[in-house]
Amino acid sequence: MELESVPISNVDEAAALLRAHGITPTRQRVAISAILFTCRQHMEASELFRRVQASDTSISRSTVYNTLELFVEKGLLQELNLGDRSRIYDTNLAPHHHLYHVDSGKIEDLDVSQIKVKVPDEILGKSGLVGVDVTLRVAG
């Protein structure tokens, strides 16, 4: 089950997605997945915790953070580090870049065709580069 083509609409689909990625679908992980994977979105861990806790007050903050780390490790999420904010988790796994509005905190996906990136040959030859992620920061 490919995440980027199948949004999750119920807990059974969430559990199936987790199993397909080698993750045991505990009640907490399914609840987190049911919120995260309903659509392509960018979300901070603290926002996810607030949303999950609204439906299940027994879920701890550490469970949410540990689950996010597991989802990144298993390839279900992409972690963005914007420098001046806490980590952001992106459910869109297709190759893309980001436009980050500093003033509002809004993050938009940019198709890779919208930005041309030239990586110097000396970096390509030495680094084992596997991809380039670009985040454009705009203010005002």
Side-chain angles (χ1 to χ4, degrees):
M1 180 181 291
E2 294 273 334
L3 173 65
E4 53 198 89
S5 62
V6 182
I8 300 302
S9 60
N10 61 53
V11 294
D12 292 331
E13 290 177 359
L17 176 67
L18 296 178
R19 279 190 211 93
H21 285 82
I23 299 171
T24 302
T26 64
R27 179 184 55 80
Q28 295 93 341
R29 290 173 181 164
V30 169
I32 291 166
S33 298
I35 290 171
L36 266 178
F37 301 123
T38 57
C39 62
R40 289 184 176 177
Q41 61 183 326
H42 303 99
M43 191 176 297
E44 290 184 64
S46 58
E47 172 62 18
L48 178 61
F49 174 66
R50 281 191 293 277
R51 289 167 107 182
V52 171
Q53 199 174 48
S55 62
D56 184 348
T57 57
S58 68
I59 292 180
S60 70
R61 185 176 302 274
S62 64
T63 296
V64 171
Y65 281 79
N66 290 337
T67 300
L68 286 169
E69 287 180 27
L70 176 64
F71 288 1
V72 169
E73 177 187 316
K74 294 290 188 170
L76 283 170
L77 287 174
Q78 180 181 74
E79 185 178 338
L80 307 175
N81 185 341
L82 299 176
D84 59 341
R85 294 181 57 181
S86 59
R87 288 180 248 164
I88 305 294
Y89 296 89
D90 187 353
T91 61
N92 181 358
L93 300 178
H96 68 286
H97 303 300
H98 295 96
L99 180 63
Y100 170 47
H101 299 266
V102 176
D103 297 337
S104 68
K106 181 179 176 184
I107 302 169
E108 296 179 52
D109 288 343
L110 297 174
D111 188 88
V112 292
S113 66
Q114 294 177 287
I115 298 174
K116 303 277 188 232
V117 178
K118 171 95 172 93
V119 180
D121 291 337
E122 58 271 9
I123 292 175
L124 287 175
K126 296 177 186 176
S127 69
L129 185 69
V130 295
V132 176
D133 299 317
V134 175
T135 300
L136 298 174
R137 289 174 176 78
V138 295

